[in-house]
Amino acid sequence: MRTTSQPRRRAPPRGATLVEVVIFIVVISIAVSSILGLLSLAVGRSGDPLVIRQSIAAAESLMQEIMSQPYTAKDPDDPTVDEAIGPEAGETRGSSSKPFDNVNDYDGLVLNGITNADGTVVAGLEQYNATVSVQSVALGGIAAGEGLLVSVTVSGPGGVPVTLSGYRARYAP
């Protein structure tokens, strides 16, 4: 019996060409760099909510301190003197002898570094700044001289300001 030799069939080539490998590397590089860019953006901004929350907490604390003060037509220290917006001569927020004694005394207050009412710096909030504005406003049926708009603005290290506003009506002569 005679066998004829048949030509061997070649298997199709396996693997990838150089062009396919280069295209694969380029596509993967673009995908990885996009993902890393998004991750770095997320990590870079992860501290922002903390700064904003601390700014809100500082503003709320200062607003609570201000709103706990009386709002009267006469100075609590001297009932013969009419109360005006802004502190009276010699009054300061951290003073033990002549502290702020009325809501409107806080107008124009600027804090470079958040401090307690006694003037001690709050640890961790040295880079935060606060400003207070007190304006006479009308509140519905309450005359302009009988109502106040108190605005407290606190900005943290990122410079994002947080403003809280509250209204106060005069309740005593």
Side-chain angles (χ1 to χ4, degrees):
M1 195 163 138
R2 192 172 154 205
T3 60
T4 57
S5 79
Q6 295 180 357
R8 275 186 151 180
R9 283 190 169 165
R10 284 192 143 182
R14 294 184 182 175
T17 65
L18 181 60
V19 173
E20 292 170 335
V21 170
V22 169
I23 291 173
F24 175 77
I25 290 172
V26 167
V27 169
I28 293 299
S29 299
I30 291 171
V32 168
S33 65
S34 298
I35 291 170
L36 289 177
L38 289 173
L39 286 175
S40 69
L41 181 65
V43 168
R45 296 192 180 264
S46 66
D48 288 351
L50 177 64
V51 171
I52 291 172
R53 288 185 62 141
Q54 286 178 324
S55 296
I56 291 171
E60 286 175 342
S61 176
L62 190 54
M63 181 67 81
Q64 184 177 8
E65 174 189 333
I66 295 168
M67 292 301 199
S68 69
Q69 296 291 333
Y71 175 40
T72 59
K74 301 291 184 182
D75 185 7
D77 293 333
D78 186 358
T80 62
V81 176
D82 289 336
E83 189 67 45
I85 291 183
E88 285 75 38
E91 288 186 344
T92 58
R93 180 173 176 252
S95 174
S96 58
S97 60
K98 287 196 80 171
F100 288 164
D101 57 1
N102 209 316
V103 172
N104 55 26
D105 289 342
Y106 286 85
D107 184 51
L109 177 68
V110 176
L111 299 176
N112 294 315
I114 303 299
T115 59
N116 292 323
D118 63 0
T120 58
V121 176
V122 178
L125 299 181
E126 299 88 358
Q127 296 179 347
Y128 290 73
N129 301 315
T131 59
V132 178
S133 168
V134 179
Q135 302 170 357
S136 180
V137 296
L139 300 171
I142 299 173
E146 303 294 315
L148 294 177
L149 169 63
V150 179
S151 298
V152 176
T153 302
V154 176
S155 59
V160 177
V162 172
T163 301
L164 296 181
S165 296
Y167 291 94
R168 182 70 184 269
R170 183 174 288 151
Y171 65 88

